Amino acid sequence: MSSITINQQEYALPSDPRTTLLDFLHQNLQLFGARKGCDHGQCGACTVLVDGERMNACLLLTFQLAGKAVVTIEGVADNDDLHPLQQAFIDNDAFQCGFCTSGQICAGIAAQRELQEQRPSAVWFDAYYTRLEDVKERLSGNLCRCGAYPHIIEAVTSTDSTPEA
Amino acid sequence: MKPFSVFSLQHAEDLSQVASFKHSRFLAGGTNLVDLMKHQIERPDHIIDLSGFDEANQITEDDGRVVIGAMVTNTALADYAYKHPRLSLLAQALLAGATVQLRNRASTAGNLLQRTRCYYFYDTSKACNKREPGSGCAAKEGFNRIHAILGTSEHCIATHPSDMATAMVALDARVHICNAAGVRRELPVRELYTLPGDTPHVETQLADDDLITAVSIDTVPRGTHIYQKVRDRSSYAFALVSVACTLRVNEGVIDEVSLALGGVAPRPWHAHQAEACLLGNPPSPELFAQAAEAELKDARSYGGNDYKVPVLRRTLTHVLNQASDHQRAHPSHEGAMYAR
Ligand SMILES: Cc1cc2nc3c(=O)[nH]c(=O)nc-3n(C[C@H](O)[C@H](O)[C@H](O)COP(=O)(O)OP(=O)(O)OC[C@H]3O[C@@H](n4cnc5c(N)ncnc54)[C@H](O)[C@@H]3O)c2cc1C
Ligand code: FES
Ligand code: FES
């Protein structure tokens, strides 16, 4: 298998094995939605979904993803219909400069699924914790330089249908 | 990044087909190695890609022995350990580390072998005996608030940054290894890591062709499990100090205890002196203070990290107090104090 699927389109793998997924998206596919904040796994702006699981595209070497299906922010909407979380970001004014937003939304989509699937998080070991604290912990991998956190958390919790435990 | 060739490994036996292990690196999730390659700190000529090493992707349980494939992700292992209270320490440590994005990618073997986060190791313009043997250690006289207080040498004061490895040391896990000649062996994690001495660039007992195939936990210590991590922010930060503890009180005395310390030493630190002090004695705050003193008597700090000595002492005694209180309130309790 020497191809990779990105937003349902199949592409040949880059010839240079040093190409990260993030650079491949930017340089080969002109998909600039995933952002390069730090390029070292420290900010989450490059978050994409690989076979449904969120990962930092800046630390992925593309050749390692042969046969995998990647979804970027460009692929989360249903044609002209925004993903409910995209709409919630607009409704909740969940960004200022918008640099971190695509990563936040991809992370949020995955976080909502992880909540549905009852995947554990660190706060589950605390004597008491709230849903808000749980969501914050799950989204800690996405930094926002503008500090839009309260509205980001609001967008994610307002569209999360997982029942409270 | 320096150019490299790629060999794709599917089975441990494929090691015999690798042309050369000189200047080669195994690549698992890449969350540490790719980062270091971008910084030109790691400059391998050959990459042995483990993304097709599928046989190492399973967790199996056999007669109480839990065998975790080298490629099992930190997320998959945390999910599994969460469902098995006896492995709670592992779930607590894993979920306290990095972020979901990173844990989804990071592998069990890669986590054990991740390298230090010392700023001077990362800054190629500074002296670092780990990166450039013989160049010196800029951390000793530099900004060293994240650095080690136990097991250091005059040549290196860097810490091992892993949370998971700290839990693995407490759980006395074993590393399963296969080499290019097809020889398989096991090594306790407690013996995997070497201390810096005058060769800080040597970090483990592993040879270049040693592939980790799995990590096993043969007998899970009974009792209450606590992983306590102290850090600069409450998520997405490495440990400044961490304590991994399992403790059982039976008929008024501590009859099982295991302790490992993270963020304070060049390797996940097995606190065997504290353990020896506790074992067989009735739990009390005085005993816990003595145990912490026993482990810390050789601690040495370097200015910026002076605070780690009292923080470690307090974290350790706090965890021991919590675990023994919980044992008293819930006799024969196993696993996490609280879990959803
Ligand atoms: C921003 C950031 C924050 C982080 N925070 C934390 C934290 O709070 N706590 C924490 O514990 N960790 C943290 N990490 C580190 C993370 O846990 C490690 O990067 C990860 O576990 C490494 O796993 P990997 O599979 O990606 O390893 P790789 O990067 O693929 O490999 C790491 C090393 O292991 C070797 N290796 C891999 N597999 C094998 C094998 N099977 N046999 C022999 N050698 C092998 C490689 O050659 C390499 O030297 C953080 C990382 C980042 C980037
Ligand atoms: S750009 Fe990938 S985490 Fe910052
Ligand atoms: S909105 Fe500006 S960085 Fe988040």
Side-chain angles (χ1 to χ4, degrees), chain A residues 40-43 59, chain B residues 25-35 42 50 53 70-71 74 93 96-99 102 105-115 117 161-165 206 210-213 229 231 236-239:
Chain A
H40 291 285
Q42 299 187 355
C43 76
L59 293 182
Chain B
R25 280 282 182 271
F26 294 107
L27 177 64
T31 59
N32 189 228
L33 185 56
V34 171
D35 185 21
E42 293 271 18
L50 303 182
F53 187 26
M71 291 300 289
N74 288 180
T99 65
L102 290 158
R105 184 70 188 157
S107 67
T108 305
N111 192 316
L112 286 179
L113 299 183
Q114 63 173 296
R115 304 197 66 194
R117 310 301 288 200
S162 170
D163 294 301
M164 185 199 80
L206 300 179
D210 278 338
L211 171 72
I212 297 181
T213 57
K229 180 171 175 177
R231 46 182 156 172
Y236 206 3
F238 284 93

Side-chain angles (χ1 to χ4, degrees), chain A residues 13-27:
Chain A
L13 292 174
S15 50
D16 189 334
R18 292 175 295 178
T19 316
T20 63
L21 176 63
L22 185 58
D23 287 340
F24 185 62
L25 293 171
H26 287 185
Q27 293 166 14

Side-chain angles (χ1 to χ4, degrees), chain B residues 100-316:
Chain B
V100 184
Q101 282 98 315
L102 290 158
R103 297 195 297 267
N104 281 344
R105 184 70 188 157
S107 67
T108 305
N111 192 316
L112 286 179
L113 299 183
Q114 63 173 296
R115 304 197 66 194
T116 185
R117 310 301 288 200
C118 170
Y119 325 118
Y120 301 98
F121 174 69
Y122 265 84
D123 183 346
T124 50
S125 71
K126 296 292 190 302
C128 171
N129 286 323
K130 237 186 215 320
R131 183 166 35 70
E132 196 78 54
S135 63
C137 172
K140 269 192 310 173
E141 314 279 316
F143 289 97
N144 49 34
R145 72 181 284 278
I146 68 168
H147 289 77
I149 55 172
L150 293 167
T152 56
S153 77
E154 58 177 309
H155 304 289
C156 183
I157 62 169
T159 61
H160 192 281
S162 170
D163 294 301
M164 185 199 80
T166 306
M168 290 290 194
V169 164
L171 297 172
D172 200 9
R174 299 173 73 79
V175 180
H176 300 218
I177 300 156
C178 181
N179 72 9
V183 178
R184 291 184 183 258
R185 67 186 206 275
E186 290 182 20
L187 192 64
V189 175
R190 290 176 184 174
E191 292 165 25
L192 172 66
Y193 304 98
T194 52
L195 287 177
D198 49 16
T199 53
H201 59 289
V202 179
E203 296 174 353
T204 68
Q205 306 265 15
L206 300 179
D208 288 347
D209 64 337
D210 278 338
L211 171 72
I212 297 181
T213 57
V215 178
S216 69
I217 298 163
D218 294 15
T219 39
V220 182
R222 289 171 296 181
T224 298
H225 290 200
I226 300 177
Y227 186 76
Q228 180 75 58
K229 180 171 175 177
V230 180
R231 46 182 156 172
D232 282 329
R233 53 183 182 197
S234 61
S235 189
Y236 206 3
F238 284 93
L240 295 169
V241 166
S242 74
V243 173
C245 167
T246 74
L247 182 128
R248 190 172 87 140
V249 179
N250 194 19
E251 296 182 356
V253 297
I254 298 169
D255 75 337
E256 268 191 50
V257 59
S258 62
L259 283 173
L261 313 175
V264 292
R267 64 179 176 209
W269 192 258
H270 180 208
H272 64 93
Q273 301 183 88
E275 284 177 3
C277 182
L278 297 164
L279 202 63
N281 288 314
S284 72
E286 295 72 32
L287 180 72
F288 299 154
Q290 280 170 25
E293 234 28 77
E295 201 61 54
L296 277 161
K297 66 179 187 312
D298 303 322
R300 173 162 179 214
S301 60
Y302 298 84
N305 64 356
D306 291 350
Y307 75 95
K308 282 197 180 185
V309 178
V311 170
L312 178 57
R313 180 185 301 121
R314 287 177 203 144
T315 310
L316 184 52

Side-chain angles (χ1 to χ4, degrees), chain A residues 22 35-46 56-59, chain B residues 236:
Chain A
L22 185 58
R35 297 304 173 88
K36 189 179 279 190
C38 67
D39 214 17
H40 291 285
Q42 299 187 355
C43 76
C46 64
N56 306 83
C58 68
L59 293 182
Chain B
Y236 206 3

Side-chain angles (χ1 to χ4, degrees), chain A residues 94-101 104 143-149 152:
Chain A
F95 43 82
Q96 292 174 39
C97 78
F99 189 85
C100 69
T101 311
Q104 302 279 4
L143 305 190
C144 174
R145 179 78 165 70
C146 301
Y149 297 113
I152 293 169

